[in-house]
Amino acid sequence: MTHSAAPTPLESRSSGPLAGKVRVPGDKSISHRALILGALSVGETRISGLLEGEDVLNTAKSMRALGAQVTRTGSFAWEVKGVGVAGFAQPNAPLDFGNSGTGCRLVMGAVAGCPITAVFDGDASLRSRPMRRILDPLELMGAKADDAAEGGRLPLTLHGARDPLPILYRTPVASAQIKSAVLLAGLAAPGITTVIEQEASRDHTELMLKHFGAEIVSVREGVHGRRIALTGQPELHGASIVVPADPSSAAFPIVAALIVEGSDVSFSDVMTNPLRTGLFTTLREMGATIEQSEVRGDAGEPMATLRVRASRLRGVEVPPERAPSMIDEYLVLAVAAAFADGTTIMRGLKELRVKESDRLEATAAMLRANGVRVEIAGDDLIVEGRGHVPGGGLVATHMDHRIAMSALVMGLAADKPVKVDDTAFIATSFPDFIPMMRSLGAEFS
């Protein structure tokens, strides 16, 4: 299993202004999907800008284990020769996803439509995360899971459907992982597989399916929802993909640039898909100076250069319907809120309780350890910003890369240094985070 052999603690402290122009790693969501859909296609898929963190590399390994040819051809450049829809082969060993819930859940969907059996496993953190809400719709389509721990937790054995059934499925929560798993399984089913969301989640799977040649239609459902209909058993064709820079990764140096006095940093090729930019919307409401230029797109995904300058922030209320577009960014938003003037209320954060850790509790603990007043009320997080953070605390990361990065960002502007107990898991999604931040002027030791 992927794990940290020994903790790697690190301390961040107040530095001078951050400055420079950087490109953060390729988007993790796009990278996972490019590998999986490339493997389910006929022909060759060329991917540039792929995120080469542990999470995505584990997905690449799983595609190889399932019969696709996956080759690294250069720096962040990969080639996939696929096996076609429902063409996966029986793997000879368990599929190990390390720390990646996204990779694991999407591959479950892809395997569910194939007449094979695969064992899914991961590290201690991933083994603690429930999979039942992914398995429920897949079992309606004819797959079967057994040997799972309570709540459908890993390790588990998934038997793919010999004759997968198309279904109409209403997702219980706004989750791109649930939706994507159903759609990937639906590729192998005859007829129309339909997913209905009450709150629209990120639409990367729909855009990429269309890019690879699938017939898929997405229309508005209600006030905030979507109805997505996929025609099954298409012949997907290999395609070229440029992976945009990950807005979730960019969130950390962006907030650092906002809270470290005098900073001026530009970020190139950042994805600006509106279903992923809730953080940028919120930061601008708080008074952040974030300018956008050089807008372009690839495979349906828009991207742009963002110039971010240090700003005086103010507290705001973040509505619950914005959560799907920024669910991974609330941790670092809480850091920005701690440096703002006034109270910030983040509503509807139930999803944070089933991530790599209970991120809602972990975020509150991170702030409290560094002298910030914070309260959890139901599924809401309330942060009392006082314009500065005392710092001086030790943050428990719970094997969660986003907690580690958020705490390190906080230390760059806090009155006293902030220490994290382990930074090893940052490599799962942003392997160059520490050297990149140092290149901008951050002080870590």
Side-chain angles (χ1 to χ4, degrees):
M1 298 299 105
T2 303
H3 67 283
S4 173
T8 309
L10 196 67
E11 184 176 86
S12 66
R13 63 179 60 83
S14 181
S15 64
L18 304 178
K21 183 172 183 176
V22 293
R23 189 189 197 277
V24 301
D27 183 77
K28 191 196 299 190
S29 297
I30 300 297
S31 296
H32 283 304
R33 288 161 171 82
L35 289 167
I36 294 167
L37 286 175
L40 290 171
S41 296
V42 174
E44 185 177 279
T45 292
R46 295 183 181 274
I47 308 167
S48 61
L50 188 90
L51 171 64
E52 294 179 344
E54 290 177 12
D55 284 4
V56 173
L57 295 181
N58 283 329
T59 294
K61 290 175 186 175
S62 75
M63 293 302 98
R64 286 193 195 103
L66 291 163
Q69 295 181 40
V70 183
T71 308
R72 187 177 190 266
T73 58
S75 182
F76 312 111
W78 291 67
E79 180 182 281
V80 182
K81 293 181 180 177
V83 296
V85 169
F88 282 159
Q90 182 106 359
N92 295 322
L95 304 177
D96 177 8
F97 292 90
N99 193 240
S100 178
T102 299
C104 181
R105 288 165 173 154
L106 267 58
V107 175
M108 281 182 179
V111 165
C114 302
I116 63 171
T117 296
V119 176
F120 288 73
D121 206 352
D123 64 13
S125 172
L126 189 57
R127 283 185 171 192
S128 71
R129 298 171 66 182
M131 299 291 168
R132 176 42 57 190
R133 64 185 185 179
I134 298 292
L135 298 173
D136 284 344
L138 298 183
E139 290 183 337
L140 292 174
M141 302 177 82
K144 181 184 177 184
D146 55 33
D147 300 329
E150 183 183 355
R153 288 175 169 80
L154 304 185
L156 63 80
T157 301
L158 184 65
H159 305 278
R162 292 203 169 274
D163 297 298
L165 302 172
I167 61 170
L168 185 153
Y169 191 72
R170 295 181 183 271
T171 58
V173 294
S175 168
Q177 293 178 0
I178 298 174
K179 172 179 64 179
S180 297
V182 174
L183 293 174
L184 289 170
L187 284 171
I192 307 295
T193 293
T194 303
V195 179
I196 298 175
E197 299 183 296
Q198 187 174 344
E199 296 279 345
S201 65
R202 54 184 66 174
D203 60 354
H204 306 313
T205 299
E206 298 95 300
L207 292 173
M208 197 175 293
L209 278 166
K210 193 171 292 186
H211 184 62
F212 277 89
E215 184 179 333
I216 186 167
V217 177
S218 177
V219 297
R220 185 181 294 277
E221 177 85 6
V223 179
H224 301 293
R226 303 295 293 178
R227 173 186 287 259
I228 304 103
L230 170 71
T231 301
Q233 300 182 334
E235 183 170 291
L236 302 181
H237 297 281
S240 295
I241 292 180
V242 176
V243 179
D246 188 349
S248 297
S249 294
F252 301 96
I254 283 175
V255 169
L258 289 171
I259 64 177
V260 176
E261 188 174 352
S263 295
D264 187 344
V265 182
S266 291
F267 303 87
S268 61
D269 298 335
V270 178
M271 180 197 290
T272 54
N273 183 316
L275 291 172
R276 290 289 299 282
T277 54
L279 175 70
F280 305 154
T281 299
T282 302
L283 291 172
R284 288 184 175 113
E285 290 173 356
M286 296 174 76
T289 300
I290 303 176
E291 300 169 355
Q292 184 170 304
S293 63
E294 300 174 340
V295 178
R296 62 190 187 93
D298 184 87
E301 297 287 355
M303 60 188 86
T305 293
L306 302 180
R307 182 184 180 188
V308 182
R309 285 176 280 181
S311 306
R312 191 70 182 177
L313 304 177
R314 57 183 176 272
V316 296
E317 182 169 335
V318 188
E321 57 268 20
R322 195 174 292 169
S325 68
M326 57 181 295
I327 195 63
D328 289 326
E329 287 80 70
Y330 279 106
L331 287 78
V332 77
L333 174 61
V335 171
F339 286 94
D341 292 315
T343 300
T344 294
I345 304 173
M346 294 163 252
R347 299 200 180 278
L349 308 189
K350 182 179 180 181
E351 272 301 283
L352 290 186
R353 295 192 182 276
V354 291
K355 291 289 184 176
E356 281 80 342
S357 62
D358 182 337
R359 283 183 171 163
L360 195 53
E361 292 289 349
T363 301
M366 171 184 71
L367 296 178
R368 290 188 186 112
N370 288 281
V372 180
R373 293 182 181 177
V374 59
E375 177 186 352
I376 296 174
D379 294 324
D380 300 342
L381 184 68
I382 303 167
V383 179
E384 291 189 28
R386 291 182 286 176
H388 75 100
V389 169
L394 172 64
V395 175
T397 56
H398 306 285
M399 299 191 296
D400 192 323
H401 52 289
R402 296 194 189 280
I403 296 172
M405 289 187 283
S406 297
L408 291 173
V409 166
M410 180 165 55
L412 296 177
D415 300 342
K416 296 178 182 178
V418 173
K419 188 171 184 177
V420 299
D421 66 352
D422 192 2
T423 58
F425 282 84
I426 292 175
T428 64
S429 68
F430 198 159
D432 294 327
F433 172 73
I434 291 168
M436 177 182 288
M437 293 302 298
R438 283 178 171 148
S439 76
L440 295 173
E443 293 192 17
F444 299 142
S445 61

